[in-house]
């Protein structure tokens, strides 16, 4: 019933466009320049520069056609891991060609797939359950959700699953919160989200922590909605309403149904 918590590697894969869909020359050049810089590739003549330019065209074609399901942050993470010596089967050379790129990206995909095996299983299981549930099962799950929220509220005064009830409460006119109040609450929770994200990514030593944090801050600055933050806000508002009806479970259910 709860929103599936996403590991950092899942965020890198799910929150950014796939390389095969990128047409922006600026993004493409930015990625290729990153690879050159992180491996400290230098040229000493016009001829070497010309050869490197030709090599980078081949490298990007390889990335787009054979590794197009990766995202730019994933590719950057892969090469940061490579130079840090985190792929035990790969020796780190200060060179850049199609063979090196293929080895690094294949090693990263294997590492990512192993790391996300449990997450992917849970995600697929959740999708299957959502697509195959009968009316009786849906109702049973709803009753279970109500009990979880009820118990959470009695224990702590807040249920992070209460966002699943928010829309119904609002549609029934039971929740009355102004746009200004919503914006203020979202702004508060967005800052908390950034701090929690920073703690998680740096604690686990992800090289792309800076990219993830900057992306979150950029979305907040541009007024883009972050789903998990919006859901937490809904949970807070719904919890504040529902915790007034905790004397009896049947009375609690009546407020929603």
């Amino acid at each position: 019933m709860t929103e599936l918590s996403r590991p950092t590697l899942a965020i890198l894969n799910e929150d950014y466009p796939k390389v095969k869909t990128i047409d922006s020359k600026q993004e493409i050049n930015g990625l290729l320049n990153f690879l050159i810089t992180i491996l400290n590739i230098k040229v000493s003549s016009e001829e070497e520069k010309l050869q490197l330019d030709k090599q980078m065209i081949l490298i990007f074609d390889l990335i787009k056609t054979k590794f197009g399901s990766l995202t730019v942050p994933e590719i950057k993470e892969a090469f940061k891991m490579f130079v840090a010596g985190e792929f035990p089967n790969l020796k780190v050379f200060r060179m850049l060609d199609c063979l090196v790129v293929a080895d690094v990206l294949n090693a990263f995909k294997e590492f990512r797939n192993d790391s996300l095996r449990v997450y992917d299983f849970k995600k697929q299981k959740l999708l299957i359950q959502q697509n195959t549930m009968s009316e009786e099962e849906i109702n049973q799950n709803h009753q279970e959700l109500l009990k979880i929220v009820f118990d959470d509220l009695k224990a702590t005064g807040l249920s992070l699953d209460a966002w699943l009830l928010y829309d119904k409460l609002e549609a029934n006119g039971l929740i009355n919160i102004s746009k200004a109040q919503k914006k203020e609450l979202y702004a508060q929770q967005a800052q908390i989200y950034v701090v929690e994200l920073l703690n998680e990514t740096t604690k686990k030593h992800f090289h792309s922590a800076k990219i993830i944090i900057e992306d979150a801050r950029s979305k907040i600055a541009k007024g883009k909605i972050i789903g998990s933050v919006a859901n937490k806000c809904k949970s807070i508002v719904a919890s504040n309403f529902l915790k007034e009806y905790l004397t009896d479970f049947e009375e609690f259910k009546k407020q929603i149904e």
Side-chain angles (χ1 to χ4, degrees):
M1 301 303 295
T2 58
E3 186 181 52
L4 191 59
S5 177
R6 295 191 304 158
T8 303
L9 285 173
I11 293 173
L12 293 179
N13 179 255
E14 296 173 351
D15 287 10
Y16 301 88
K18 308 301 182 189
V19 171
K20 62 186 175 186
T21 68
I22 294 176
D23 294 320
S24 167
K25 287 186 178 180
Q26 185 177 355
E27 276 196 79
I28 294 169
N29 290 335
L31 173 60
L32 298 180
N33 288 333
F34 173 85
L35 300 184
I36 292 170
T37 302
I38 198 169
L39 290 174
N40 198 26
I41 305 297
K42 299 185 182 298
V43 294
S44 56
S45 67
E46 281 299 317
E47 183 179 351
E48 287 184 3
K49 183 179 183 305
L50 182 62
Q51 289 301 317
L52 180 60
D53 289 343
K54 289 180 179 178
Q55 186 67 242
M56 297 314 292
I57 292 171
L58 294 175
I59 286 172
F60 185 70
D61 180 67
L62 172 72
I63 291 173
K64 195 160 188 176
T65 56
K66 298 300 181 183
F67 299 94
S69 61
L70 294 174
T71 67
V72 169
E74 282 185 303
I75 294 170
K76 289 182 177 181
E77 178 72 16
F79 274 87
K80 287 176 182 177
M81 292 177 68
F82 173 58
V83 298
E86 294 182 21
F87 298 130
N89 295 327
L90 297 183
K91 289 187 177 179
V92 181
F93 295 106
R94 192 174 293 175
M95 62 177 292
L96 189 59
D97 60 20
C98 288
L99 290 175
V100 170
V101 171
D103 284 345
V104 171
L105 296 186
N106 277 322
F108 175 79
K109 285 175 66 178
E110 184 177 350
F111 168 80
R112 182 199 64 188
N113 293 344
D114 284 344
S115 299
L116 295 181
R117 202 174 300 282
V118 173
Y119 167 77
D120 287 336
F121 173 77
K122 288 181 179 178
K123 187 169 76 169
Q124 290 301 319
K125 186 178 179 181
L126 190 62
L127 287 172
I128 291 170
Q129 287 176 342
Q130 289 173 341
N131 292 331
T132 59
M133 283 192 296
S134 66
E135 286 295 324
E136 183 180 348
E137 288 172 324
I138 292 172
N139 182 61
Q140 182 180 345
N141 283 343
H142 180 66
Q143 296 301 314
E144 289 175 1
L145 170 65
L146 296 181
K147 189 65 170 65
I148 289 170
V149 173
F150 181 79
D151 290 343
D152 285 347
L153 292 177
K154 290 202 76 170
T156 65
L158 172 67
S159 173
L160 293 178
D161 291 316
W163 66 273
L164 292 162
L165 305 173
Y166 177 92
D167 290 344
K168 190 168 186 178
L169 292 171
E170 187 176 51
N172 291 340
L174 297 173
I175 287 177
N176 185 20
I177 178 171
S178 68
K179 287 185 178 180
Q181 288 173 311
K182 287 180 180 179
K183 289 180 73 172
E184 183 181 358
L185 178 60
Y186 183 86
Q188 292 171 351
Q189 292 305 315
Q191 295 308 312
I192 293 173
Y193 169 78
V194 170
V195 172
E196 290 174 346
L197 192 61
L198 181 62
N199 289 337
E200 182 205 348
T201 54
T202 52
K203 182 173 64 178
K204 294 181 179 178
H205 305 294
F206 275 99
H207 302 293
S208 291
K210 186 178 179 181
I211 296 174
I212 296 169
I213 298 302
E214 287 179 353
D215 181 68
R217 285 176 173 157
S218 174
K219 285 179 179 176
I220 292 167
K222 292 176 181 177
K224 293 183 178 179
I225 299 299
I226 299 173
S228 58
V229 177
N231 287 343
K232 187 176 180 184
C233 291
K234 288 182 176 182
S235 289
I236 292 171
V237 175
S239 293
N240 286 340
F241 170 76
L242 291 170
K243 67 184 180 183
E244 301 297 325
Y245 302 94
L246 299 179
T247 305
D248 179 73
F249 182 55
E250 292 304 317
E251 179 62 28
F252 175 83
K253 291 199 312 185
K254 286 178 183 178
Q255 298 305 316
I256 302 160
E257 298 174 338

